[in-house]
Amino acid sequence: MKIAILSRNSSLYSTRRLVEAGRSRGHRVRVLDPLRCYMRISQAGFEMRYKGHALKEFDAVMPRIGSSVTFYGTAVLRQFEMMGVYTPNGSDAVLRARDKLRSLQMLAGDGIDLPMTVFGDYPDDTVDLLEMLGDPPHVIKLNEGAQGQGVLLAEKRSASQGMIEAFRGLYANFVVQEFIGEAGGGDLRCFVIGNRVAAAMHRQAPEGDFRANLHRGGTASSVQLTEQEVDVAIRAAATMGLGIAGVDLLRSRRGPLVLEVNASPGLEGIEQASGMNIAAEIIGYIEAAAAGKRAVPTGAARRC
Ligand code: ADP
């Protein structure tokens, strides 16, 4: 097969591992910087070029599009799709997953439990909005933040109000959530490939923080998921329409809660924590799916 990896940097761990895994399974693999792909859109057909050469005869494309290039990156991915190239994570699914609010609406709509979340625009409604949520502590999250940036803990109602006012002053979109204290600063990253969880890890926030992101100093260890956690992770990825996804869960008193579904989950932490060759699993999935052997995930993604 001829496989394209859409990534801005071929030396990134995840990109490198996918290239290695693809080549060791006998495929031709090329890393393409999405910003260097340019396209012609016409009724007569689609064409895409890269540094003066036509991009053609690709069987599959694996997006590894960073959040800073979501708009252009997904346009390139869409062009590949329209040229008939298989991808496990389509452009619409990547766009949905990048919008926290939309993702939460879709997950809840499919009956998947998550931390209770409120969202509002008008300053006069803030008091009632927080009333709908319940007592603090609250977690305030920027809608388009990533890697724990823009995720803040407010211990008191007055702190929640102050942070909400500050975000509004910056014209930022945000959601406010109940704080799941019993998670103890830990979360679960479930690496979903198709209709199974290929690997999982427990991430623990550093002392004094509640955010378990590895980029913020969190530590990872292998973990045994319950059947319910496996089921929720697979359903969450399917709801978003993602064939490959990093589903983050919090362990709460009322069961697993989905925090977010990541469309470009990193491989480094999960391969180290699980000791598994996740890159090879991804390429294996792409091989089978591109050959038409696996169904595209279904769920609410079909509706919105
Ligand atoms: P990001 O997309 O920036 O990683 P997340 O929503 O995943 O943002 O939050 C980052 C981390 O903060 C999570 O991995 C988790 O450890 C912690 N966290 C997020 N939301 C909550 C919550 N409602 N209650 C408790 N901890 C939370």
Side-chain angles (χ1 to χ4, degrees), residues 46-48 55-56 78-85:
F46 295 92
E47 190 187 340
M48 195 143 51
L55 290 172
K56 55 184 184 191
R78 194 177 309 114
Q79 185 88 355
F80 271 111
E81 291 173 81
M82 301 197 80
M83 287 161 56
V85 180

Side-chain angles (χ1 to χ4, degrees), residues 100 141 146-148 177-178 180 187 210 212-213 259-260:
K100 276 190 208 273
K141 298 184 181 181
Q147 296 169 351
Q177 289 187 331
E178 64 175 316
I180 308 299
D187 74 1
F210 72 103
N213 305 73
L259 269 185
E260 91 172 314

Side-chain angles (χ1 to χ4, degrees), residues 98-101 139-146 148-152 163 166-168 170-176 260:
R98 287 283 150 87
D99 182 336
K100 276 190 208 273
L101 176 63
V139 177
I140 301 169
K141 298 184 181 181
L142 280 177
N143 197 22
E144 275 155 29
Q149 271 171 345
V151 178
L152 306 164
M163 289 182 200
F167 277 159
R168 285 219 175 100
L170 297 167
Y171 300 100
N173 276 315
F174 56 88
V175 297
V176 190
E260 91 172 314

Side-chain angles (χ1 to χ4, degrees), residues 14-94:
S14 303
T15 308
R16 261 194 302 117
R17 292 283 301 123
L18 288 167
V19 172
E20 278 165 20
R23 290 187 181 153
S24 72
R25 291 172 75 101
H27 302 300
R28 282 190 291 156
V29 186
R30 273 194 73 187
V31 177
L32 302 174
D33 176 351
L35 299 190
R36 297 294 307 267
C37 299
Y38 46 100
M39 57 201 102
R40 187 182 64 204
I41 304 159
S42 87
Q43 172 270 336
F46 295 92
E47 190 187 340
M48 195 143 51
R49 291 192 189 166
Y50 192 76
K51 299 181 184 173
H53 299 284
L55 290 172
K56 55 184 184 191
E57 289 157 10
F58 281 95
D59 301 291
V61 54
M62 174 71 198
R64 300 282 322 167
I65 299 168
S67 49
S68 60
V69 296
T70 299
F71 177 78
Y72 196 86
T74 51
V76 170
L77 180 58
R78 194 177 309 114
Q79 185 88 355
F80 271 111
E81 291 173 81
M82 301 197 80
M83 287 161 56
V85 180
Y86 167 79
T87 180
N89 288 354
S91 50
D92 286 343
V94 173

Side-chain angles (χ1 to χ4, degrees), residues 3-14:
I3 303 173
I5 316 255
L6 283 183
S7 167
R8 293 229 58 209
N9 185 346
S10 55
S11 61
L12 290 176
Y13 180 91
S14 303

Side-chain angles (χ1 to χ4, degrees), residues 105-205:
Q105 287 172 318
M106 289 180 66
L107 293 165
D110 257 4
I112 293 170
D113 206 359
L114 28 100
M116 195 195 290
T117 304
V118 296
F119 172 71
D121 182 63
Y122 204 67
D124 289 358
D125 300 326
T126 302
V127 170
D128 198 36
L129 185 75
L130 293 178
E131 186 61 38
M132 283 168 80
L133 183 60
D135 290 334
H138 299 142
V139 177
I140 301 169
K141 298 184 181 181
L142 280 177
N143 197 22
E144 275 155 29
Q147 296 169 351
Q149 271 171 345
V151 178
L152 306 164
L153 180 63
E155 311 253 11
K156 292 187 178 154
R157 200 168 286 258
S158 57
S160 300
Q161 283 176 3
M163 289 182 200
I164 290 171
E165 277 161 26
F167 277 159
R168 285 219 175 100
L170 297 167
Y171 300 100
N173 276 315
F174 56 88
V175 297
V176 190
Q177 289 187 331
E178 64 175 316
F179 174 61
I180 308 299
E182 65 267 28
D187 74 1
L188 303 172
R189 161 58 60 94
C190 310
F191 206 104
V192 177
I193 302 182
N195 55 6
R196 66 194 185 89
V197 176
M201 63 178 163
H202 178 264
R203 298 180 299 194
Q204 186 62 42

